[in-house]
Amino acid sequence: MFENNPVTKLLKIKYPIIQGGMAWVADADLAAAVSNGGGLGIIAAANMPPELLERQIIKIRTLTDKPFGLNIMLMSPTADDALELAARHNVPVVTTGAGLPGKVLEKLKPLGTTVIPVVASVSHAERIAKQGADAVIAEGTEAGGHIGEITTMNLVPQIVDAVDIPVIAAGGIADGRGAAAAFVLGASGVQVGTRFVCAEECNVHINYKQKIVKANDRATAVTGRSLGHPVRAIKNKFIKQYEELEKRGAPAEELEALGAGKLRLAVVEGDTEMGSLMSGQSAGLVRAIEPAAVIIESIVSQMNNIFSEMTRYSR
């Protein structure tokens, strides 16, 4: 079904499914499992010290011979280090977020790296398409972690209409129904984040995974709008405290101090009360902890069944 798909051809993968570049979550183990399962696994550079990131890049090549990617968060103080490592180790795919990817395109495109920025608006997509991006990830506000304001349902078709490069839909996609909807909207692939947090190969604390599995449709909240950097996570004591500070008009320094280290607290230590359990609204669709390959196959199977039914009913 995907032999002529623009994303599978561009990335040289079996299925047009990309794993989100989630800070503290997306390491070599998870990325390799996704790539081995037929998708594109992504290592998240985030704020990782360069010596640790280099070890992750070296490690993934011992775990898979399939294509993989590196996500560079451009606002990170270690972004330049990650860019240098991507060039030095000939990372096949780089995704970017939280900024304009001009320097990434300038450095990596001549080396043959496929560069795919994450965007949250039509104007951003148009700008980077003109700069030479190979594709874009259109991420709606349903996503976990740092988010934009436009829903996936509205963002994806508008970006599809605005650019001539492949569009990958992200935000709120956790199963074959969401993937099928994205393709109907004009996307050529999907990025999945929250469901892969619950992959068996994902090294986040089991407490974090269980909070996602037990989540319902109203489990997440968005904080940080007052700082201009909204973040979606599962509601807990930390989120309640943050919301109370925002309502009181607390200064940025106080809010940043409260949020410091909270993602690590959730991912590494499993603190589900005071840790930041970044998760998309799709958490309510995640029902089990499964191998990455099983997650991918279930998404593809459900999507194929949907399109088969659509074809049958259209006759």
Side-chain angles (χ1 to χ4, degrees):
M1 177 180 178
F2 301 111
E3 293 83 1
N4 296 315
N5 176 276
V7 170
T8 59
K9 290 171 70 175
L10 175 67
L11 303 179
K12 300 178 176 60
I13 56 179
K14 185 176 181 180
Y15 303 124
I17 297 174
I18 295 174
Q19 165 239 314
M22 300 165 284
W24 281 97
V25 173
D27 62 7
D29 292 320
L30 175 59
V34 172
S35 289
N36 286 332
L40 183 78
I42 303 282
I43 296 171
N47 295 327
M48 197 184 303
E51 61 273 13
L52 296 183
L53 180 57
E54 186 166 35
R55 288 180 209 162
Q56 289 290 305
I57 295 171
I58 293 170
K59 181 180 182 180
I60 193 172
R61 286 195 161 112
T62 70
L63 300 174
T64 185
D65 60 356
K66 303 292 193 300
F68 68 93
L70 175 68
N71 175 263
I72 300 177
M73 186 172 65
L74 297 171
M75 66 184 291
S76 168
T78 60
D80 288 341
D81 296 318
L83 178 55
E84 289 299 323
L85 288 170
R88 185 187 312 163
H89 290 278
N90 296 311
V91 173
V93 181
V94 166
T95 64
T96 67
L100 294 173
K103 62 182 179 182
V104 177
L105 290 161
E106 183 179 342
K107 187 173 186 67
L108 297 183
K109 286 280 289 181
L111 302 179
T113 302
T114 299
V115 179
I116 308 177
V118 177
V119 299
S121 71
V122 171
S123 61
H124 192 184
E126 290 176 327
R127 181 170 180 178
I128 63 172
K130 290 177 182 177
Q131 290 179 319
D134 295 288
V136 293
I137 298 168
E139 185 175 77
T141 193
E142 300 93 326
H146 295 276
I147 57 171
E149 297 293 335
I150 307 171
T151 64
T152 305
M153 178 70 75
N154 286 284
L155 182 66
V156 170
Q158 291 184 65
I159 291 181
V160 168
D161 289 346
V163 300
D164 293 325
I165 55 178
V167 176
I168 298 160
I173 300 169
D175 62 15
R177 294 171 296 184
F183 277 92
V184 171
L185 293 174
S188 298
V190 295
Q191 177 174 280
V192 176
T194 300
R195 191 168 181 188
F196 280 128
V197 177
C198 290
E200 288 183 0
E201 299 88 350
C202 181
N203 290 318
V204 306
H205 199 285
I206 186 62
N207 293 353
Y208 195 154
K209 296 183 181 185
Q210 289 174 343
K211 288 293 286 188
I212 292 176
V213 170
K214 294 176 182 177
N216 60 23
D217 60 327
R218 297 175 62 83
T220 68
V222 177
T223 57
R225 294 191 192 278
S226 62
L227 299 178
H229 301 292
V231 175
R232 185 182 299 283
I234 293 176
K235 299 172 187 175
N236 60 3
K237 185 176 180 181
F238 161 64
I239 295 296
K240 184 176 181 181
Q241 289 184 5
Y242 201 107
E243 287 177 332
E244 289 173 351
L245 285 180
E246 282 198 297
K247 288 177 183 177
R248 293 207 320 258
E253 295 79 12
E254 189 174 354
L255 290 168
E256 289 168 355
L258 177 61
K262 291 301 192 291
L263 181 56
R264 182 191 181 281
L265 194 62
V267 171
V268 179
E269 299 183 29
D271 189 335
T272 58
E273 284 302 315
M274 288 306 298
S276 178
L277 302 161
M278 291 187 183
S279 172
Q281 290 182 319
S282 63
L285 294 168
V286 181
R287 295 286 177 259
I289 299 168
E290 304 167 299
V294 171
I295 292 172
I296 292 169
E297 290 294 341
S298 68
I299 292 172
V300 172
S301 176
Q302 188 178 33
M303 182 169 56
N304 285 341
N305 288 339
I306 289 169
F307 285 128
S308 294
E309 285 295 300
M310 289 173 64
T311 301
R312 183 167 69 88
Y313 285 127
S314 66
R315 290 172 182 169

